């Protein structure tokens, strides 16, 4: 049986996940260049390569391998990063998915630690478990990426181990090399507790933003 990987707009309090399109390119070009030192081991295009990056993600979408999103900050209305569903694994003898991965995520430096990515993960997790009915959701990152690992662990996902030489390295100066990948997951049985944890975190973050402790990312200057 086949499964069409077609994900809708997902609306939250802090972030709106919109299917990635070229119309997001101008905002993402600005976001990508805010502070490239904040990316470390993450694949982020330079401003002049954002258009080609989006084309590549859309080609993966056409092939059924990826459902890419722009992370649009609700307060400013601008795209401040991306994320995606990918590697869908359909049941071999039934309709639907048994597992999918969330990845291809990066955010502008000013949006990191703002709560947007926490809510984005919540929206993606919720749709996967409650609409697609997956049994498992995966996340992985470079085993050396302490910031990314802490963010994943903060969602309630469980660490399963490190797979050595598992995938391409995106670290500067490591073209053609492989990385060790730290693997995390959430299962359907764990989702209710994970959902409660994420909803409580998002409520706290939203409360701080209303109180003015977490200002929105700066607006993109006029071109």
């Amino acid at each position: 049986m086949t499964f069409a990987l077609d994900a809708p707009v997902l609306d939250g309090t802090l972030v709106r996940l919109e299917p990635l399109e070229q119309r997001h390119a101008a905002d993402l070009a600005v976001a990508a260049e805010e502070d490239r030192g904040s990316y470390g081991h993450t694949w982020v295009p330079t401003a002049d390569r954002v258009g080609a990056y989006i084309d590549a993600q859309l080609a993966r979408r056409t092939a059924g391998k990826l459902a890419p999103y722009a992370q649009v900050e609700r307060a400013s209305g601008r795209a401040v990063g991306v994320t995606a569903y990918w590697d869908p694994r359909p049941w071999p003898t039934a309709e639907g998915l048994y597992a999918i991965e969330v990845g291809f995520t990066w955010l502008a430096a000013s949006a990191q630690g703002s709560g947007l990515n926490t809510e984005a993960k919540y929206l993606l997790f919720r749709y996967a478990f409650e609409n697609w009915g997956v049994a498992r959701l995966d996340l992985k990152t470079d085993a050396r990426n302490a910031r990314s690992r802490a963010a994943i662990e903060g969602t309630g996902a469980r660490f399963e181990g490190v797979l050595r030489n598992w995938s391409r390295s995106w670290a500067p100066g490591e073209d053609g090399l492989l990385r060790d990948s730290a693997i995390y997951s959430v299962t359907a049985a764990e989702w209710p507790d994970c959902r409660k944890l994420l909803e409580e975190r998002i409520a706290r973050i939203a409360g701080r933003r209303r109180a003015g402790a977490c200002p929105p990312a700066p607006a993109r200057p006029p071109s």
Side-chain angles (χ1 to χ4, degrees), residues 124-141:
L124 293 167
F125 289 13
R126 187 178 67 183
Y127 193 83
F129 284 113
E130 299 180 10
N131 291 78
W132 287 333
V134 299
R136 172 191 171 91
L137 186 142
D138 305 334
L139 306 101
K140 68 175 181 282
T141 189

Side-chain angles (χ1 to χ4, degrees), residues 49-66:
R49 296 296 298 164
V50 165
Y53 169 88
I54 293 174
D55 283 342
Q57 296 296 71
L58 297 182
R60 293 182 178 96
R61 181 169 71 190
T62 299
K65 298 177 180 179
L66 187 80

Side-chain angles (χ1 to χ4, degrees), residues 147-200:
R147 175 185 290 180
S148 178
R149 293 182 66 167
I152 292 172
E153 289 163 5
T155 69
R158 289 195 183 187
F159 173 59
E160 295 186 329
V162 173
L163 298 180
R164 297 176 298 165
N165 290 345
W166 180 250
S167 58
R168 174 182 176 180
S169 173
W170 299 106
E174 293 188 357
D175 289 349
L177 300 182
L178 298 174
R179 74 179 195 188
D180 295 347
S181 292
I183 309 298
Y184 295 81
S185 71
V186 181
T187 66
E190 295 163 349
W191 169 237
D193 287 342
C194 180
R195 175 173 180 159
K196 180 180 178 182
L197 171 70
L198 287 168
E199 288 176 345
E200 289 173 348

Side-chain angles (χ1 to χ4, degrees), residues 79-151:
V80 294
V82 299
T83 191
Y85 287 119
W86 77 296
D87 191 22
R89 276 101 79 199
W91 290 104
T93 58
E95 293 185 2
L97 298 180
Y98 72 87
I100 197 162
E101 184 167 339
V102 168
F104 283 95
T105 302
W106 60 266
L107 280 173
S110 61
Q112 294 171 22
S114 67
L116 269 69
N117 198 47
T118 297
E119 188 174 52
K121 290 291 193 295
Y122 167 74
L123 295 170
L124 293 167
F125 289 13
R126 187 178 67 183
Y127 193 83
F129 284 113
E130 299 180 10
N131 291 78
W132 287 333
V134 299
R136 172 191 171 91
L137 186 142
D138 305 334
L139 306 101
K140 68 175 181 282
T141 189
D142 192 307
R144 300 166 295 178
N145 193 337
R147 175 185 290 180
S148 178
R149 293 182 66 167

